[in-house]
Amino acid sequence: MASPSRRLQTKPVITCFKSVLLIYTFIFWITGVILLAVGIWGKVSLENYFSLLNEKATNVPFVLIGTGTVIILLGTFGCFATCRASAWMLKLYAMFLTLIFLVELVAAIVGFVFRHEIKNSFKNNYEKALKQYNSTGDYRSHAVDKIQSTLHCCGVTDYRDWTDTNYYSEKGFPKSCCKREDCTPLRDADKVNNEGCFIKVMTIIESEMGVVAGISFGVACFQLIGIFLAYCLSRAITNNQYEIV
């Protein structure tokens, strides 16, 4: 058992560790809120793009929402463990941080490896959506209209992609291709946007997904600090038999 004088000397060190870990845990909790907000933002603002990707891609916002929620709960647990100065709770906190870090690392690697499939998947599904397009409002047709009207584009590579569709043979270009609200007759190519949507969409996805990836990478690296602090505090408490007075 450590002598009273030794325990007295180590109390300032442990108190310092506790203070730093509490500050870290609070910031970590905030990052969870940020990830949760980014996930909700991605679900709302990128929903039209995700709807034209495969089913796995549509789960990305939910993964961020779930990760943010877990971080918020874990941050609350870490704050409680630090305030209690419980060695076993701090070890559990460090273990959970390590587990989340590994999951995020694997997810980042998988996302990087399969990033090119996103482009191919979007292009194939967009072409399929054009061929099956109808004005009654199924989710793919709605996504096409939303993208074309928002980005002022028409078709995949250019407006001529529509000329091979059944919709064009019956009604002409959809209204979402128009440069203006009223562009009748709808077969007049001079009154529709000539530029295709594929390049524009890929530019937006790459830029906005870059923001998501950057935030996720920052959170993952930040967890290494928490793992180190929680382990050091737990070890100091165990070795010196620190007691709260």
Side-chain angles (χ1 to χ4, degrees):
M1 181 176 180
S3 64
S5 60
R6 179 176 175 81
R7 279 166 38 196
L8 186 62
Q9 292 174 357
T10 57
K11 278 186 178 182
V13 176
I14 295 177
T15 301
C16 180
F17 266 121
K18 286 180 62 178
S19 300
V20 175
L21 186 56
L22 278 174
I23 295 173
Y24 163 84
T25 303
F26 175 73
I27 298 175
F28 181 62
W29 188 88
I30 293 297
T31 59
V33 175
I34 293 174
L35 273 183
L36 180 63
V38 169
I40 295 174
W41 166 77
K43 174 61 180 173
V44 174
S45 64
L46 301 179
E47 185 175 9
N48 293 313
Y49 308 120
F50 283 126
S51 64
L52 292 175
L53 295 173
N54 54 42
E55 294 182 357
K56 294 181 179 179
T58 59
N59 294 327
V60 172
F62 294 108
V63 171
L64 291 175
I65 292 172
T67 303
T69 303
V70 170
I71 288 177
I72 291 172
L73 295 176
L74 186 57
T76 304
F77 174 79
C79 182
F80 179 75
T82 305
C83 292
R84 289 291 303 274
S86 172
W88 72 267
M89 291 178 71
L90 288 168
K91 289 178 181 178
L92 188 62
Y93 180 45
M95 184 184 71
F96 281 136
L97 286 176
T98 304
L99 182 62
I100 293 178
F101 172 77
L102 293 176
V103 170
E104 291 174 345
L105 183 63
V106 171
I109 293 174
V110 171
F112 178 79
V113 171
F114 293 100
R115 68 189 185 281
H116 296 297
E117 291 189 7
I118 295 178
K119 293 184 178 181
N120 295 331
S121 176
F122 179 83
K123 188 173 183 179
N124 293 334
N125 285 325
Y126 202 97
E127 291 173 347
K128 184 178 180 180
L130 292 189
K131 293 179 180 179
Q132 299 177 350
Y133 178 87
N134 62 76
S135 57
T136 57
D138 67 280
Y139 78 98
R140 287 183 180 272
S141 299
H142 176 73
V144 169
D145 284 334
K146 186 69 175 179
I147 291 172
Q148 292 188 153
S149 59
T150 302
L151 301 182
H152 304 291
C153 57
C154 186
V156 182
T157 54
D158 58 42
Y159 70 97
R160 288 171 293 185
D161 294 325
W162 279 102
T163 59
D164 296 328
T165 64
N166 293 329
Y167 183 87
Y168 178 84
S169 62
E170 295 176 2
K171 300 181 180 180
F173 293 105
K175 292 183 178 181
S176 58
C177 281
C178 295
K179 294 179 180 179
R180 300 176 182 177
E181 291 186 7
D182 184 13
C183 64
T184 54
L186 291 174
R187 296 182 187 275
D188 190 348
D190 294 331
K191 295 184 178 181
V192 299
N193 296 301
N194 297 331
E195 196 173 354
C197 297
F198 177 71
I199 295 178
K200 286 190 173 184
V201 169
M202 285 299 103
T203 301
I204 292 176
I205 288 181
E206 288 176 359
S207 62
E208 296 191 349
M209 290 301 289
V211 174
V212 174
I215 293 175
S216 301
F217 179 76
V219 171
C221 292
F222 189 63
Q223 288 171 212
L224 295 175
I225 301 175
I227 295 170
F228 173 77
L229 291 174
Y231 175 78
C232 289
L233 180 57
S234 173
R235 186 178 180 84
I237 293 172
T238 301
N239 291 343
N240 296 282
Q241 297 183 351
Y242 177 70
E243 295 179 358
I244 302 175
V245 294

